[in-house]
Amino acid sequence: SSCHHLRVAGSAAAHKAHRPARAGESGAMAAFIRIIRNMGIDVGNNVITYNPEDYAKCGAELFLIAMGSSWVLTYFFNYTFIESNALKDRVGYNNLCVGWDSAPARYVAAPIFAAIIAVECRFMQLDYWRAQLDKNATPFQKKVVMFANFSYALSFIGAIGIFAIYAQEWPMGHTFSFVQLVVF
């Protein structure tokens, strides 16, 4: 049969199917590796099992990669930007985002951030499905989860303004793109 059943880890139906991290999955990119390994279907049972938290963790892993690579690129190819930039002029110091606010770092970090948005939105979708599958959740609780996940997804999508709006050209728009992500 081509019919497959969905399990979302954390729901009662999939609680037994969730497994701990395997050896070698505790380091960097562990969640990404788990997502790739678990993309297959349990053919014998026609079951697809997802663990939403793997997607959220993968987003954090990608964030660290984007931030680290951006600072390395900025340090080696645009050090003067670290010494003098609009953020440092306003607040007196560089925050983490300065590393990806200039070329060539932003050209590397922006596509990684697009991947972050994708995996975080997938996390929110799976979390919503998990709430819908939870037989103990009330209709009101399910609506709250839907609203919270939808708002958070929109916030992540809006955060791409960090790369689309240059801090030197429109500091308020650039800052808002980040602040709204923190608030929501």
Side-chain angles (χ1 to χ4, degrees):
S1 164
S2 62
C3 179
H4 300 290
H5 302 281
L6 170 69
R7 285 190 194 168
V8 179
S11 67
H15 185 67
K16 293 179 186 175
H18 180 65
R19 64 166 181 78
R22 294 179 184 161
E25 289 184 352
S26 60
M29 296 302 291
F32 178 77
I33 292 166
R34 276 193 305 277
I35 290 168
I36 298 302
R37 282 186 179 164
N38 293 333
M39 287 179 77
I41 299 169
D42 180 355
V43 179
N45 295 322
N46 281 339
V47 173
I48 303 171
T49 302
Y50 295 98
N51 183 9
E53 282 70 26
D54 282 345
Y55 288 84
K57 290 175 187 174
C58 182
E61 292 168 356
L62 289 170
F63 179 81
L64 290 175
I65 289 168
M67 192 59 68
S69 62
S70 294
W71 271 97
V72 168
L73 288 168
T74 300
Y75 183 85
F76 285 109
F77 294 104
N78 199 358
Y79 189 79
T80 56
F81 189 76
I82 295 172
E83 293 175 329
S84 176
N85 58 71
L87 181 63
K88 191 172 184 179
D89 294 344
R90 285 178 183 247
V91 297
Y93 63 92
N94 288 322
N95 74 4
L96 290 174
C97 295
V98 167
W100 64 23
D101 277 348
S102 71
R106 77 183 302 120
Y107 306 131
V108 172
I112 296 172
F113 201 82
I116 293 169
I117 292 169
V119 296
E120 290 294 340
C121 287
R122 181 66 166 161
F123 161 69
M124 290 169 259
Q125 177 190 37
L126 293 172
D127 188 56
Y128 167 73
W129 287 353
R130 176 172 47 198
Q132 295 303 309
L133 293 170
D134 187 351
K135 293 178 174 75
N136 296 322
T138 66
F140 177 74
Q141 290 170 324
K142 291 177 181 182
K143 292 232 187 266
V144 168
V145 169
M146 180 182 68
F147 177 77
N149 284 331
F150 183 74
S151 298
Y152 194 47
L154 284 180
S155 181
F156 257 100
I157 292 166
I160 198 65
I162 295 167
F163 299 101
I165 302 168
Y166 287 90
Q168 297 82 353
E169 294 176 15
W170 188 26
M172 290 298 291
H174 180 82
T175 302
F176 178 75
S177 297
F178 173 74
V179 171
Q180 64 83 28
L181 181 62
V182 174
V183 171
F184 292 108

